[in-house]
Amino acid sequence: MTILVTGGLGFIGSHTVVELINQGHECVIIDNLSKSTIDVVNRIEMVTHKKVSFIKVEMLDKTAIRKVFQQFSISAVIHFAGYKSVGESVKQPLLYYQNNLFSTLNLLDVMQEFAVKKLVFSSSATVYGDTSIPPLTENLPLSAPNPYGRSKLMLEEILRDLVEANTEWSVALMRYFNPIGAHTSGLLGEMPYDTPNNLMPHVLKVASGESAKLQIFGGDYETLDGSCIRDFIHIMDLAKGHVKALQYVEQHTGCEAFNIGTGVGYSVLSLLRTFEIVTGEKVPYEIINRREGDIVISIADVQKAENMLNWKAQYQLEDMCVDSWRWYQSIKGYV
Ligand code: WQD
């Protein structure tokens, strides 16, 4: 049977497809190429030495999704497709609600039509908001602080209602903490398309000399070194977690949320220091004002994923930095 991976040419999607193929799964990738390029198909094939089925699909067009289900015998879906920039979502909330909500509702409609009831959904730790004390457990009250996070929270609620009404469905809600790193081959990673929002892409730009200094948003937080703390997780650990979640939904019914992090927090400054040590590259920085909406500490409680998915992150912060740097050097001048 075949696994449909929506947004499968994106950062998380492409790494997950590689892991799925490595575990013997047949995959079909759909992607609208708005935040990725067709070259990622070649890169996935180079890494896996397998041909990959890719179809350009705009998920706002339900007919286009239906055609994929008519063409392939889909047994389960891993749904990554969606916009994910916090900053962009604040500026363009309607774009985010329309794209993230409508594309998912279209997908769910077609899944129902074809009686495909196994779904792994790309959610986010943003749904925890900034009110809870870490480490964050999956049963905490949820409140998203921006349209991106709220679109994820709404979709989690929609999926819970769907499963409530259709008990034979099985859904895993994957709440990512801070994915960084790249495939160890150096052939896959986070493509720096537009102005990056996240920390690591900015670190890479400074380390490569494209930017003069890293701007650190706030150095006066109540943490050891004054900078924020995050649960950075290697993209390959995150990808493996999705393969485990797929196995879980294939063997169970119901709707379960899982924290996908390491359970260990590092400050922004300690990531910077680690990056400089393992790569030998200097990353000049300046501490400027806090960024609106940032929370001080975000660390996952990962017990549930360990127990129910039999999954635990293996890579260290050093690996994340080395692999990110290798990737960035391999694509310098590419984009
Ligand atoms: C991390 C820390 C910044 C850039 C977001 C989304 C979340 C998820 C991951 C999708 C913060 C600091 C950053 C910079 C900095 N995405 N920073 N200078 O905000 O924790 O999470 O991305 O699911 O949903 O909310 O990640 O990498 O933007 O920031 O000092 O140039 O790095 O202030 O403390 P964040 P981030």
Side-chain angles (χ1 to χ4, degrees):
M1 299 289 263
T2 301
I3 309 299
L4 175 64
V5 183
T6 77
L9 297 187
F11 178 37
I12 303 175
S14 57
H15 286 79
T16 301
V17 166
V18 165
E19 281 308 310
L20 286 167
I21 292 170
N22 289 345
Q23 296 301 317
H25 292 284
E26 289 293 319
C27 294
V28 171
I29 299 172
I30 61 174
D31 198 301
N32 68 3
L33 297 175
S34 65
K35 306 273 184 189
S36 56
T37 66
I38 192 85
D39 179 43
V40 177
V41 176
N42 306 329
R43 290 170 178 273
I44 292 172
E45 292 181 339
M46 281 193 279
V47 170
T48 59
H49 308 298
K50 292 270 176 55
K51 294 301 282 174
V52 173
S53 301
F54 164 69
I55 303 162
K56 186 175 186 285
V57 169
E58 176 43 73
M59 292 186 73
L60 294 175
D61 172 5
K62 196 191 290 189
T63 309
I65 301 175
R66 188 175 291 115
K67 281 190 184 138
V68 177
F69 279 75
Q70 287 164 340
Q71 188 180 348
F72 296 90
S73 172
I74 307 289
S75 63
V77 179
I78 304 184
H79 178 37
F80 293 107
Y83 295 155
K84 67 162 184 102
S85 162
V86 170
E88 188 181 51
S89 80
V90 172
K91 295 190 187 92
Q92 302 184 77
L94 284 185
L95 174 72
Y96 268 66
Y97 290 127
Q98 279 162 357
N99 186 65
N100 291 1
L101 296 176
F102 291 176
S103 57
T104 304
L105 290 168
N106 283 344
L107 172 68
L108 296 175
D109 267 350
V110 175
M111 285 177 71
Q112 277 198 311
E113 275 176 47
F114 286 81
V116 176
K117 301 169 183 175
K118 307 289 184 184
L119 175 68
V120 176
F121 173 66
S122 168
S123 187
S124 167
T126 309
V127 300
Y128 289 115
D130 58 1
T131 51
S132 301
I133 310 294
L136 302 172
T137 53
E138 287 87 349
N139 59 352
L140 284 171
L142 305 177
S143 70
N146 53 64
Y148 159 73
R150 277 191 281 276
S151 74
K152 291 296 186 182
L153 185 49
M154 289 175 197
L155 288 168
E156 285 201 6
E157 297 301 326
I158 288 167
L159 288 165
R160 286 191 194 288
D161 288 343
L162 171 64
V163 172
E164 189 74 29
N166 304 274
T167 50
E168 69 282 11
W169 272 70
S170 183
V171 175
L173 307 171
M174 308 294 273
R175 293 177 181 162
Y176 311 143
F177 280 71
N178 288 68
I180 59 173
H183 194 269
T184 43
S185 65
L187 289 169
L188 281 175
E190 187 168 16
M191 287 286 190
Y193 290 114
D194 31 32
T195 318
N197 293 288
N198 297 132
L199 177 63
M200 185 53 92
H202 280 294
V203 169
L204 294 168
K205 277 184 173 294
V206 176
S208 63
E210 288 170 60
S211 305
K213 263 186 196 170
L214 175 73
Q215 292 187 321
I216 293 182
F217 303 133
D220 57 352
Y221 286 100
E222 301 73 47
T223 61
L224 266 181
D225 61 20
S227 65
C228 289
I229 293 173
R230 291 292 181 273
D231 185 333
F232 297 104
I233 176 169
H234 199 294
I235 187 69
M236 288 175 70
D237 272 327
L238 200 111
K240 295 174 194 294
H242 282 79
V243 178
K244 290 287 191 178
L246 176 69
Q247 286 166 6
Y248 179 85
V249 297
E250 284 174 338
Q251 294 157 6
H252 299 81
T253 58
C255 184
E256 291 291 351
F258 297 102
N259 286 337
I260 303 298
T262 65
V264 178
Y266 288 97
S267 73
V268 172
L269 283 167
S270 57
L271 179 141
L272 216 48
R273 236 186 334 275
T274 303
F275 184 90
E276 289 186 324
I277 291 166
V278 297
T279 64
E281 302 294 339
K282 290 310 283 172
V283 182
Y285 67 87
E286 59 177 340
I287 294 182
I288 61 170
N289 296 333
R290 295 181 176 190
R291 179 173 69 176
E292 184 71 28
D294 272 340
I295 55 176
V296 194
I297 302 178
S298 169
I299 300 174
D301 177 305
V302 294
Q303 213 49 60
K304 185 175 177 186
E306 275 183 42
N307 297 340
M308 294 177 71
L309 301 184
N310 186 27
W311 168 87
K312 183 174 169 54
Q314 302 299 317
Y315 292 90
Q316 304 301 315
L317 186 66
E318 290 78 0
D319 307 310
M320 301 177 212
C321 292
V322 167
D323 295 341
S324 296
W325 183 233
R326 179 190 305 113
W327 157 251
Y328 201 72
Q329 287 181 295
S330 77
I331 59 155
K332 209 159 33 181
Y334 172 86
V335 286

